[in-house]
Amino acid sequence: MSINIILLTAVAVFIGVAALIIGLYLSFRGDHESKVESRLALLAEQVQSGGKKGKKQKKGLLLETMDEGPQIFEQLLSRFGGLRSLLRQADVNLPPIYLIGMMIGFGIAGTLAAVLSRLPLALMPLAMVAGLFLPIGWLLWRRKRRQRTFATQLPEAMDMLARALRAGQSLNAAIGLVSREIPPPLGTEFARVFDEQNLGVPLDESLNDLTERVPNLDLKFFATAVILQRQTGGDLAEILEKIGNLIRQRFQIWGQVQALTGEGRLSGVVLLALPVFLFFAMYYLNRDYVMLLFTDPMGRKMLAGAVVMQIVGALFIRKIVNIKV
């Protein structure tokens, strides 16, 4: 009977949250058509008046975003790193509102899975939180993999840019060559910079946007070198060659560090995963024995202490093996 009540409660919560999201979406979407009409009216007025009358007073209207999705969730989540920025860096073409819906759905699915597997009530919130942040974890993993691939392609791109500049090509043509010759993700990002140049976007602005989409320190060196060279002059090809050599040397040192800290990282994984594995193994082998951790007051204190020590141990191990190069 209790399981049915929990299932009904979970379904009711899911329906309520879904209705709230749909209601907010429709309320924010209602202003979309009026915003479009206002923009068209302003453009028509500027065309008739030569584009001078009222330009300063109404310039902000033309600069407002036309995104149809509600911005309230992004404002709330912007304090935690920016959801839209995370989607751009992970190269996922998905509106933030849909990602939030996926998070809620996975959270409900995690709760239902915990109920159907008859986990203790104390672990059900953990299952819900794990399901809730599963899409975020996938985005973080995808962003990390994409940035690692981009970093490995960057030395080759620097050498190709330097050779193209020494051959007499312009910087824009060299960027186009890199976009055609190097596969994604670097080729895709440089192709976007090349297209923006053809559309008249300033190079400084395109490079700044590139560094925001791909937060890589070596890429920032490249963008800074190009911007300074355009302002002060100098041999850009030589600078790009030095940047490429610097990146290769950094990768070599990073590989040595990974080899030296491999034992510590493996030990950390085993030490952190072993208690969790033993808990679930004992739960299915002898459930009454494990339930003392939830029913007995001393057992709850021991469980809380174990969780705290696991977190502290994970932070210490990460601090030891995470050596920045």
Side-chain angles (χ1 to χ4, degrees):
M1 184 65 181
S2 60
I3 296 179
N4 295 330
I5 294 176
I6 296 175
L7 286 173
L8 292 176
T9 304
V11 172
V13 171
F14 174 76
I15 294 175
V17 173
L20 177 62
I21 292 176
I22 294 174
L24 290 174
Y25 175 75
L26 293 177
S27 63
F28 279 89
R29 183 180 171 84
D31 299 332
H32 178 67
E33 294 183 359
S34 60
K35 187 181 293 186
V36 174
E37 294 176 357
S38 301
R39 285 193 175 192
L40 292 176
L42 178 60
L43 289 174
E45 179 182 352
Q46 290 184 0
V47 169
Q48 293 177 359
S49 60
K52 297 181 179 180
K53 183 179 180 180
K55 185 176 181 180
K56 294 183 179 180
Q57 292 81 356
K58 298 183 180 180
K59 184 179 180 181
L61 180 62
L62 293 176
L63 298 178
E64 292 181 0
T65 177
M66 294 299 296
D67 194 0
E68 298 181 0
Q71 305 295 325
I72 184 171
F73 298 105
E74 298 178 43
Q75 295 175 2
L76 292 176
L77 294 175
S78 61
R79 300 179 181 178
F80 302 95
L83 191 58
R84 183 180 292 275
S85 177
L86 178 61
L87 288 169
R88 291 178 61 188
Q89 294 174 3
D91 194 22
V92 176
N93 189 15
L94 187 70
I97 186 64
Y98 293 163
L99 178 62
I100 295 174
M102 291 175 58
M103 293 172 60
I104 296 174
F106 276 100
I108 298 298
T111 304
L112 295 179
V115 171
L116 295 177
S117 59
R118 297 183 180 181
L119 289 179
L121 293 177
L123 294 180
M124 289 186 181
L126 297 178
M128 181 186 67
V129 172
L132 187 67
F133 287 97
L134 185 62
I136 297 296
W138 175 75
L139 282 178
L140 293 175
W141 171 80
R142 182 180 174 89
R143 182 183 68 173
K144 185 177 180 180
R145 185 186 65 174
R146 186 170 184 267
Q147 291 179 358
R148 188 185 298 114
T149 305
F150 189 96
T152 57
Q153 294 174 333
L154 196 56
E156 181 182 357
M158 296 295 102
D159 292 342
M160 189 175 297
L161 286 173
R163 290 194 298 268
L165 292 175
R166 292 188 185 279
Q169 297 186 13
S170 64
L171 179 60
N172 190 26
I175 293 176
L177 177 64
V178 171
S179 66
R180 293 190 300 270
E181 296 296 331
I182 296 182
L186 190 142
T188 303
E189 294 295 341
F190 272 69
R192 182 168 180 174
V193 175
F194 179 72
D195 294 337
E196 289 176 352
Q197 289 296 293
N198 293 333
L199 293 175
V201 178
L203 181 60
D204 299 357
E205 183 178 347
S206 298
L207 293 178
N208 289 329
D209 292 340
L210 176 61
T211 56
E212 291 181 1
R213 295 193 303 270
V214 185
N216 183 278
L217 182 60
D218 299 318
L219 183 63
K220 291 182 180 179
F221 289 157
F222 162 72
T224 304
V226 171
I227 294 174
L228 290 178
Q229 190 272 339
R230 288 171 61 86
Q231 295 176 356
T232 61
D235 190 356
L236 182 60
E238 182 179 358
I239 296 176
L240 295 180
E241 287 182 352
K242 291 182 178 180
I243 293 176
N245 293 330
L246 176 65
I247 298 173
R248 289 189 176 90
Q249 293 176 3
R250 181 179 297 176
F251 270 113
Q252 184 179 1
I253 299 174
W254 182 78
Q256 295 176 358
V257 170
Q258 290 294 103
L260 294 175
T261 59
E263 182 181 356
R265 288 183 285 108
L266 182 60
S267 300
V269 171
V270 173
L271 292 176
L272 294 176
L274 187 60
V276 179
F277 175 77
L278 290 178
F279 171 80
F280 284 103
M282 293 301 299
Y283 177 79
Y284 285 102
L285 293 177
N286 193 347
R287 183 178 181 182
D288 296 333
Y289 180 77
V290 177
M291 289 302 296
L292 292 176
L293 295 173
F294 302 97
T295 57
D296 189 83
M298 182 58 68
R300 289 193 289 268
K301 294 179 181 179
M302 293 175 63
L303 182 62
V307 172
V308 172
M309 287 190 290
Q310 282 281 98
I311 296 175
V312 173
L315 293 177
F316 271 99
I317 293 174
R318 185 177 183 274
K319 187 67 175 179
I320 293 173
V321 302
N322 188 17
I323 301 176
K324 294 183 179 180
V325 179

